[in-house]
Amino acid sequence: MKLLLPALLLALGVHAVKHEDFKECGQTSFCRRLRPLSTKSESADFASPYSLGTPSLASASQIGAPTKDSAWTFPLSSTLYPEVAFELRVDVLEGDIARVRVDEVGSASPWRRYNETARWSLLSSEPAHGTAKISTQNGMSSIKYGHGLELRINHAPLRIAMVRDGTEEIVFNDRGLFHMEHFRTKEMPVEEEVKETEGEQVKTEEGEAQTEEVEIKSEPEEQEPFEAVIDRSWFETEDGDMFEEQWKRWRDSKPKGPEAFSLDISFPLAKHVFGLPEHASPLSLPDTIGEGSHYTEPYRLWNVDIFEYVADSPMALYGAVPLLHAHSTKGTVGVLNLVASETWVDVAHTNGVQTHWISESGIMDLLLLPGPNPTALFEQYASLTGPAQMPPQFATAYHQCRWNYNTQGEVIEVQERFEEADMPLDVTWLDIEYADEHRYFDWNKKMFPDPVAMINQVAKFGRKMVAIVDPHIKRTDSFRVYKDSLDLDILIKKADNNNFDGWCWPGSSVWVDFFNPKSWEWWTRMFSFETWADQTKDLFVWNDMNEPSVFDGPEITMPKDNIHDGGWEHRDVHNINGMLFHNQTQHAITVREPTKKRPFVLSRAFFAGSQRFGSVWTGDNLGTWEHMAGEAAMFLSNSIAGISFVGADIGGFFGNPGNEMLVRWYQKGAFMPFMRAHAHIDTKRREPYLFEEPIRSYLRDALRLRYILLPAWYNAFHDAATKGHPVIWPQYAKYPSDETGAAVDNQYYVGDSGLLFRPVVDEGATSADVYLAAGQPFYDYFSPRMWPARSKPRNVTIDTPLDKFPLLIEGGHIFPSRERVRRSSSLMRLDPVTFTVALGHNQEAKGQLYMDDGETFAWESGAFIHRALEFKNGKLSSTQKVPHNAKNEYAQSIQDVGVERVRVLGLNQEPTSVSVSGKEVQFVWDKGAPSAKEPRAAVLTIKNPGVKVVNDWEIVIA
Ligand SMILES: *[C@@H]1O[C@H](CO)[C@@H](O)[C@H](O)[C@H]1NC(C)=O
Ligand SMILES: *[C@@H]1O[C@H](CO)[C@@H](O)[C@H](O)[C@H]1NC(C)=O
Ligand SMILES: *[C@@H]1O[C@H](CO)[C@@H](O)[C@H](O)[C@H]1NC(C)=O
């Protein structure tokens, strides 16, 4: 059987993505059924056949105690299927978030719609409620909440608008595309149903319009009659594939029959929509429908293992976050459509922006985030799905990976070569070949005779290791993990209830069902030192292939009719599946030692909420300029959707980048939140120490720059973990009222440091343009060059010889750095700090310094230092930003750490003295040339001001 594997690998292609391996909308029955409605509905007299009855307060048990009058249910029905009852429920949550859910109710069918996406994705499946007031009259309910917000709910036809200060900003069912297929049995022929409707509809058309007779379950007299020309077949195109579906050699048994739903959301004020990761598309999502649209397929959310993805495409990739930001200079709002089944989204810039969402199964669970600006949206989204996990310090530094370091000796050699080349390194990774027959946990002892000794030797340099543990489990009785999972009966089942097996790296494999809580404690045990002796606390984990990738499955994943815990089909939970695996692995790593340690687990698949469990990367990219160019937009798209600990394989997973490309990739890598080099097994070795000068120095410089700026990155990771802010910020999020910069996605900001990075992604480029917003001066990081503040945005051109790239500092910011780079980040723990003060147009600047032990959870109980830095009226001060116990163990441990240098950029007057506590300190002044044609900033350098990072201090510049 093992012999089959190379053949299979070949078949899977080490060449361009096989489009034919993945479905288009027209090849999947539910999308084929529901997408065309958006064009048919364009007829002028079309209206939604759905209408609401009178609302009633949701009962206490439904809300969970303590209750507030902020949740209501409405009976919902459709003239298409008057006998079917739906319920629409509105909750107003804390943070002024409105939640709208729809489910079929009272059905005689034994089936239910999947309603547990929120349970996994959100911090709490029933988040705390806010306060709101409802009034209902004339077929209209108005719910008022928050700061000038209102939900205007039109009962018939169904339409819900989120209104702010009188203006509609988000409209649900504006175009009447909401439709929820009801459970039915196959015996009821679709054709007959359709005929029946056509009969009813003729009546409507004839104007006898007995719409009041439509069965609305309560108080029909509240209904306003409405007339519409609708045809049931528009909503549910006759489709022989409703009850089973064949695609290529795979048959989907679809025991529940049709259960898709679609909905439309309009953003009347929006100029751009951002989000819906993961796609290799621009950040400002181009149209997928309508004349001249950039794409013709909708954005697809369906986690798949897609070899060598296309660089500009709405095709599905490894992760899915059904979140959109709708933005214009008038404001930014968001929607989270919490559904885990296969989902397609059309986007059209018409009357603002219109979106049409089509999902295969599940309830409708829509969260309307009011903004009104990107920062508020980040915080609202984090209040639902959680802020990011605070990573251990080492994880923010440089990771060296390759498929594969094949022996223990090779791993040690990598350490020594980095050492010799004077290049910093924190983490060395092992891909699948470390494991005996791809049985993860079991080392190949021929190649790795003493893993513990190896890890310990790596750890001597203050470094860590990562080994891969994938979700497929080799089906062989001699493998304890397989035996255990069989005994515990925790495997994902086939439609016939037998354990599912499929083909993956180890050959025939099974998959643990992490929806089954019985698997949790067991999986934790798999990583304990008792169960897995061949590891140490310095070994961390990589969860790959967790979409899940199944080589012989439809679209290289699991059949949709597979069964999970609770009887749910894989179809219902596919997009969250990988996140549950990620969660359990990171939990296992957290509790491995008696004192909990911050875990580090990298995942390929993700969903809304995955940020709570660790980092992700963009999967199998290509070593091409085109892929490199598109990645900034992918990082940003993930980042605004919470998944901001993200990176791409430096150098490209596939291919052999030339020297120039590799240098550019390392420079870009130094500014990815997750900085890892990785390469396919067939590629040439490309560790940075292998290159000749000057390439070697350029690569070293990129690595060193990452380490120098680690304190600034750590600030950003801390803001992500505490406020839900992204680690890197797109232009529109920093400057929401600047229309011209809104779509810029080839540059970004690191946290609140003011650092603005623009990767060079063009072959042979000798210069690159950077977009500068109005208002602040910008300073070059590498030279005294500056760009004075302007009242209008502009592009500036920056020279980019191979050792240089655009890295600017926006005026008004102070950021910390550590300029003495050592072999690994942990060895820099007690090194002094440098502050760069980039003065704003008003001669002021602000910043922060957050530091903690970098490995435990003690920071959550006050063991950290968090300083506020401020430059104002010629004084630079450091004060406590967040109150903490100054005697905390961490602060004690760094009490001798000093500030070795302060650089002040853009001071408009030469100082006569610089002093700390009345004592003069030395300084160097370079007056620059602020008004030259190519202005140079004045630079004041204060060496060794004699202050400690843990203390309050003030440096007076007179
Ligand atoms: C899902 O629906 C079932 C049946 O209607 C209900 O009992 C259950 O509480 C719901 N679960 C969640 C998480 O809402
Ligand atoms: C993560 O695991 C914990 C148990 O360790 C569980 O309570 C929680 O629901 C899980 N969340 C997800 C998203 O898997
Ligand atoms: C900056 O350059 C881009 C790309 O060439 C262009 O689309 C944009 O209009 C320019 N912006 C300004 C403010 O000049």
Side-chain angles (χ1 to χ4, degrees):
M1 289 225 288
K2 267 183 82 184
L3 285 178
L4 278 174
L5 197 55
L8 215 125
L9 272 178
L10 225 74
L12 283 169
V14 184
H15 303 288
V17 69
K18 293 217 169 110
H19 275 278
E20 67 276 14
D21 280 346
F22 300 95
K23 292 182 190 174
E24 297 196 332
C25 171
Q27 292 169 307
T28 189
S29 163
F30 77 94
C31 195
R32 191 163 65 232
R33 292 200 296 277
L34 294 174
R35 191 185 189 204
L37 180 61
S38 74
T39 2
K40 289 177 178 152
S41 68
E42 277 163 13
S43 112
D45 41 8
F46 172 85
S48 170
Y50 284 85
S51 58
L52 296 170
T54 308
S56 44
L57 199 60
S59 68
S61 64
Q62 284 174 300
I63 305 181
T67 65
K68 279 182 183 163
D69 290 1
S70 50
W72 296 270
T73 60
F74 297 71
L76 172 67
S77 64
S78 161
T79 54
L80 298 177
Y81 299 100
E83 70 286 359
V84 182
F86 299 93
E87 184 177 87
L88 181 140
R89 171 175 169 151
V90 177
D91 292 70
V92 173
L93 308 179
E94 262 177 16
D96 299 347
I97 295 164
R99 184 177 193 182
V100 182
R101 280 176 280 188
V102 176
D103 196 1
E104 185 180 345
V105 291
S107 163
S109 163
W111 304 117
R112 286 185 289 134
R113 284 178 170 271
Y114 184 67
N115 63 353
E116 294 182 3
T117 303
R119 168 177 165 201
W120 303 110
S121 173
L122 303 188
L123 286 174
S124 153
S125 53
E126 293 295 335
H129 280 74
T131 43
K133 258 202 157 92
I134 193 169
S135 62
T136 297
Q137 55 185 331
N138 305 327
M140 169 79 91
S141 293
S142 158
I143 296 175
K144 295 217 163 104
Y145 60 105
H147 305 290
L149 292 168
E150 178 188 0
L151 281 187
R152 259 184 220 156
I153 304 176
N154 194 66
H155 292 199
L158 168 67
R159 183 181 188 275
I160 302 180
M162 190 201 86
V163 176
R164 191 195 326 260
D165 302 327
T167 307
E168 291 187 343
E169 297 199 3
I170 307 177
V171 190
F172 162 74
N173 211 33
D174 192 32
R175 293 190 288 152
L177 308 184
F178 171 76
H179 179 53
M180 187 170 268
E181 295 177 336
H182 61 281
F183 289 118
R184 63 198 89 181
T185 49
K186 199 173 179 176
E187 288 67 49
M188 192 192 297
V190 180
E191 290 79 356
E192 264 179 42
E193 269 190 83
V194 170
K195 258 191 223 116
E196 226 174 84
T197 332
E198 275 163 7
E200 267 179 28
Q201 200 195 307
V202 171
K203 259 198 264 168
T204 316
E205 275 175 355
E206 281 167 359
E208 292 171 18
Q210 303 300 317
T211 23
E212 285 95 337
E213 280 176 24
V214 169
E215 282 187 32
I216 303 283
K217 297 277 183 280
S218 79
E219 302 181 48
E221 60 278 6
E222 291 243 352
Q223 293 302 312
E224 289 222 320
F226 68 95
E227 293 188 22
V229 182
I230 37 170
D231 184 325
R232 185 188 290 188
S233 71
W234 292 2
F235 284 80
E236 293 186 7
T237 320
E238 264 180 65
D239 191 324
D241 290 340
M242 270 182 164
F243 290 90
E244 61 180 298
E245 193 169 347
Q246 184 84 26
W247 183 68
K248 300 198 164 183
R249 62 192 174 85
W250 295 277
R251 179 181 159 273
D252 177 1
S253 66
K254 294 169 96 171
K256 293 161 88 172
E259 52 169 328
F261 68 98
S262 81
L263 58 111
D264 71 80
I265 303 169
S266 298
F267 304 98
L269 303 182
K271 286 260 189 341
H272 301 273
V273 283
F274 307 111
L276 288 185
E278 185 180 36
H279 297 99
S281 61
L283 178 65
S284 175
L285 297 172
D287 286 358
T288 59
I289 195 162
E291 221 169 291
S293 63
H294 184 71
Y295 302 128
T296 51
E297 287 289 302
Y299 297 98
R300 186 182 189 208
L301 296 172
W302 181 246
N303 295 353
V304 285
D305 178 0
I306 182 161
F307 261 57
E308 305 198 333
Y309 54 87
V310 183
D312 182 11
S313 164
M315 283 175 83
L317 297 178
Y318 309 90
V321 184
L323 172 79
L324 263 190
H325 281 196
H327 172 82
S328 76
T329 55
K330 296 192 184 111
T332 316
V333 293
V335 297
L336 172 63
N337 180 11
L338 213 47
V339 57
S341 63
E342 183 182 343
T343 295
W344 299 79
V345 188
D346 269 318
V347 167
H349 287 67
T350 308
N351 303 325
V353 179
Q354 300 182 331
T355 61
H356 181 203
W357 308 60
I358 304 160
S359 301
E360 184 169 20
S361 70
I363 62 164
M364 186 188 96
D365 191 350
L366 204 59
L367 293 127
L368 310 181
L369 314 181
N373 55 54
T375 305
L377 267 186
F378 296 142
E379 290 168 4
Q380 287 152 7
Y381 182 68
S383 77
L384 294 171
T385 63
Q389 187 174 65
M390 184 68 195
Q393 160 73 53
F394 74 81
T396 68
Y398 177 62
H399 300 253
Q400 179 65 49
C401 185
R402 145 158 215 105
W403 180 20
N404 220 93
Y405 293 118
N406 287 311
T407 64
Q408 189 161 334
E410 259 179 47
V411 168
I412 301 306
E413 190 199 330
V414 170
Q415 310 310 307
E416 289 165 352
R417 299 289 306 264
F418 267 91
E419 178 93 355
E420 278 164 30
D422 193 19
M423 292 176 175
L425 166 67
D426 266 61
V427 195
T428 307
W429 290 54
L430 294 174
D431 207 323
I432 54 176
E433 311 304 342
Y434 84 90
D436 196 13
E437 300 183 311
H438 301 139
R439 300 185 320 216
Y440 310 106
F441 302 101
D442 288 358
W443 294 80
N444 178 337
K445 289 286 174 81
K446 275 203 211 98
M447 301 300 174
F448 297 88
D450 194 346
V452 168
M454 174 185 70
I455 301 164
N456 285 339
Q457 205 170 337
V458 169
K460 273 200 203 128
F461 298 85
R463 295 178 181 148
K464 312 289 180 189
M465 290 196 72
V466 164
I468 202 165
V469 175
D470 282 353
H472 45 260
I473 293 174
K474 188 177 172 72
R475 243 181 86 200
T476 173
D477 285 341
S478 62
F479 187 30
R480 67 193 152 86
V481 182
Y482 172 67
K483 281 279 287 169
D484 276 12
S485 59
L486 208 59
D487 292 348
L488 281 168
D489 191 19
I490 48 175
L491 295 173
I492 297 177
K493 307 273 195 286
K494 288 188 292 195
D496 67 7
N497 241 351
N498 289 310
N499 289 333
F500 169 75
D501 63 280
W503 202 264
C504 210
W505 297 125
S508 181
S509 305
V510 294
W511 280 260
V512 169
D513 180 11
F514 287 98
F515 288 89
N516 185 342
K518 267 202 302 187
S519 70
W520 299 351
E521 196 252 332
W522 167 77
W523 190 247
T524 298
R525 213 160 355 102
M526 287 296 107
F527 291 86
S528 74
F529 296 116
E530 292 76 48
T531 317
W532 192 19
D534 286 335
Q535 60 156 338
T536 81
K537 64 178 178 42
D538 294 310
L539 183 72
F540 294 82
V541 180
W542 171 16
N543 284 165
D544 194 359
M545 311 291 277
N546 52 336
E547 294 75 25
S549 175
V550 179
F551 291 161
D552 58 349
E555 302 191 274
I556 319 178
T557 190
M558 206 162 255
K560 286 176 170 173
D561 54 3
N562 272 5
I563 302 295
H564 290 263
D565 188 52
W568 298 112
E569 283 188 287
H570 186 70
R571 165 186 350 272
D572 299 318
V573 301
H574 176 84
N575 283 346
I576 16 179
N577 183 70
M579 175 168 76
L580 267 65
F581 178 54
H582 195 192
N583 177 24
Q584 294 312 325
T585 307
Q586 63 85 32
H587 176 74
I589 297 300
T590 308
V591 300
R592 220 168 23 171
E593 294 171 68
T595 307
K596 283 207 279 170
K597 288 281 177 67
R598 281 183 235 169
F600 171 74
V601 178
L602 176 75
S603 171
R604 191 168 68 185
F606 57 84
F607 188 71
S610 284
Q611 68 271 17
R612 307 198 297 273
F613 311 120
S615 68
V616 307
W617 90 111
T618 57
D620 297 346
N621 60 347
L622 274 73
T624 64
W625 292 100
E626 191 190 22
H627 264 247
M628 199 167 139
E631 280 167 2
M634 291 175 77
F635 302 156
L636 291 171
S637 176
N638 277 355
S639 292
I640 62 157
I643 315 284
S644 121
F645 195 3
V646 58
D649 291 346
I650 294 175
F653 181 62
F654 296 105
N656 295 305
N659 288 353
E660 181 194 355
M661 188 190 289
L662 194 66
V663 170
R664 292 306 190 195
W665 221 308
Y666 265 91
Q667 291 168 347
K668 188 178 77 151
F671 288 86
M672 301 187 305
F674 172 58
M675 184 189 187
R676 184 185 73 154
H678 184 36
H680 188 272
I681 198 162
D682 292 338
T683 59
K684 286 208 293 245
R685 289 288 289 261
R686 49 165 117 119
E687 288 72 15
Y689 53 72
L690 291 172
F691 295 81
E692 301 292 324
E693 291 295 349
I695 300 304
R696 184 186 180 86
S697 285
Y698 299 162
L699 298 175
R700 183 193 294 113
D701 287 349
L703 290 167
R704 288 173 58 87
L705 184 55
R706 174 60 169 223
Y707 280 72
I708 287 169
L709 295 175
L710 279 175
W713 283 99
Y714 208 59
N715 282 345
F717 278 101
H718 181 253
D719 281 343
T722 50
K723 301 182 193 166
H725 291 178
V727 174
I728 54 172
W729 291 60
Q731 186 69 25
Y732 83 89
K734 283 287 178 191
Y735 287 96
S737 55
D738 174 20
E739 170 53 33
T740 49
V744 170
D745 62 4
N746 61 350
Q747 62 182 50
Y748 51 80
Y749 297 82
V750 178
D752 69 353
S753 65
L755 289 162
L756 167 59
F757 169 68
R758 196 288 205 193
V760 176
V761 291
D762 299 304
E763 186 167 14
T766 54
S767 69
D769 282 356
V770 181
Y771 178 86
L772 301 185
Q776 286 292 8
F778 284 80
Y779 304 88
D780 189 4
Y781 178 87
F782 298 105
S783 78
R785 182 86 161 84
M786 76 168 296
W787 293 266
R790 286 280 158 79
S791 59
K792 286 218 175 78
R794 75 204 119 139
N795 291 312
V796 298
T797 303
I798 295 187
D799 288 342
T800 57
L802 191 49
D803 62 341
K804 193 153 182 295
F805 52 89
L807 177 60
L808 307 187
I809 313 162
E810 183 189 41
H813 298 273
I814 302 173
F815 68 85
S817 58
R818 271 180 160 151
E819 318 263 326
R820 308 179 191 187
V821 175
R822 298 181 191 271
R823 278 170 290 183
S824 69
S825 68
S826 62
L827 301 179
M828 295 162 68
R829 224 178 73 85
L830 299 177
D831 283 345
V833 170
T834 288
F835 288 110
T836 301
V837 180
L839 293 178
H841 60 87
N842 54 1
Q843 294 283 294
E844 291 180 4
K846 273 187 173 167
Q848 58 172 331
L849 174 67
Y850 174 80
M851 301 205 291
D852 62 25
D853 69 19
E855 56 178 23
T856 72
F857 288 87
W859 71 280
E860 290 180 342
S861 41
F864 58 81
I865 68 152
H866 198 176
R867 314 295 306 176
L869 281 302
E870 185 168 19
F871 189 100
K872 206 175 174 173
N873 303 325
K875 288 179 204 149
L876 175 66
S877 62
S878 171
T879 54
Q880 192 166 278
K881 184 174 171 86
V882 175
H884 60 268
N885 177 1
K887 294 244 154 22
N888 74 67
E889 240 173 72
Y890 175 69
Q892 296 280 313
S893 79
I894 59 154
Q895 59 181 339
D896 292 331
V897 173
V899 175
E900 73 175 334
R901 188 182 296 110
V902 172
R903 281 198 308 160
V904 183
L905 309 178
L907 201 62
N908 60 11
Q909 214 180 3
E910 178 170 1
T912 54
S913 74
V914 176
S915 60
V916 179
S917 311
K919 223 181 96 203
E920 291 213 4
V921 292
Q922 287 191 339
F923 66 90
V924 178
W925 170 251
D926 175 347
K927 67 179 170 23
S931 47
K933 187 154 164 277
E934 295 207 332
R936 281 181 297 118
V939 183
L940 168 69
T941 308
I942 306 165
K943 281 192 194 146
N944 294 318
V947 295
K948 305 288 183 204
V949 296
V950 295
N951 297 336
D952 286 359
W953 44 259
E954 197 171 70
I955 299 176
V956 182
I957 296 159

